[in-house]
Amino acid sequence: MDLKNAVVFVTGAGSGIGAAIASHFGRLGSSLFLVDREQDALKNAGNFLISIGVKNFETFAADISQELDSKKMVNQAIKRFGKINIVIPCAGLIRDGLLLNLEKETKKVKSKLSFDDWQDVLNVNLNGTFLTVRDCAEKMAEGGWPGLIVPISSVNKAGQLGQLNYSSSKIAISLFPKVIIGEFLLKKILNIRVVGIAPGYTRTPMLEKMNQSVLDSLLKTVHLNRLIEPSEIAKLIEHISSNEALNGTTVEITGGICHAHGVVK
Ligand code: NAP
């Protein structure tokens, strides 16, 4: 794919991984369509892009979990740039909590994972990603442009304690590439590849919202012994865009997570 002439569509572009992807592809000369729900976050991201000399972008405030917003943002991207080549739906959130919190002495349940926290996460991470992917894919299939869709899963798709909602959303997202590419093959939609990414623990504002002692213990299982940088994820997406053999799968980028327990002598 010729990245200088590519239109890159990023949600969650006002923060973290989405913002890093925007600057990476902006530096490579791609046109950027950037979505987030808060104008302020988009303004900051836009100001940063301008400060590094990237000018060919449009920002658009939308709630990606709303079907009407999804339609509007995709229509606006086509109106502005005439096509979409790479779609990276990064908008996501966490609302961590245990299914049941018990009183130590009495074993009575003092709180439960709220249905709001369950729904908020599924609405954005799963339903919202579905809408972005579906509505962009519609235009890309009709347009016939070279295309790549990159659903964002997580290493916590493996099932992270305290993240029943988040892990459920991310295991579902990890299946998107396989299922969608099967459908594209059947229907001869051959211009679009779908390759997911499952990042490990990455230095972004989302991680600051995690329980930090849990995070510290999780980091002890990382061979690289540090957080992943959002720029490292952006570089991986650049590689995927140039390597057609990668398709219909979800690639992990974690620094090497070791789930082994105990000490091997
Ligand atoms: P982040 O810094 O919190 O950025 C996510 C952005 O998405 C925020 O600006 C957020 O806005 C926005 N957003 C949330 N809900 C939205 C909605 N309904 N409509 C539009 N925008 C919305 O998080 P990140 O760490 O960069 O995460 C990006 C993606 O990577 C997520 O899918 C996350 O699950 C995934 N991921 C992250 C890590 C990690 O360690 N950081 C690891 C694996 C996977 P608000 O701030 O207003 O909510």
Side-chain angles (χ1 to χ4, degrees), residues 3 12 27 34 39 48 53 57 71-72 74 76 78 95 97 117-118 134 139 141 151 165 200 208 222 235 254:
L3 293 177
R27 281 189 176 106
L34 307 175
Q39 276 293 1
F48 179 71
F57 67 88
K71 192 176 169 186
K72 282 185 190 163
V74 174
Q76 180 55 31
I78 297 294
R95 297 277 184 272
D117 285 349
W118 172 263
R134 183 196 66 178
K139 302 289 180 196
N165 45 9
E208 286 160 20
V222 179
K235 271 189 231 165
T254 66

Side-chain angles (χ1 to χ4, degrees), residues 165-179:
N165 45 9
Y166 185 78
S167 295
S168 301
S169 72
K170 293 300 181 181
I171 187 74
I173 293 296
S174 73
L175 296 174
F176 273 39
K178 192 176 173 195
V179 178

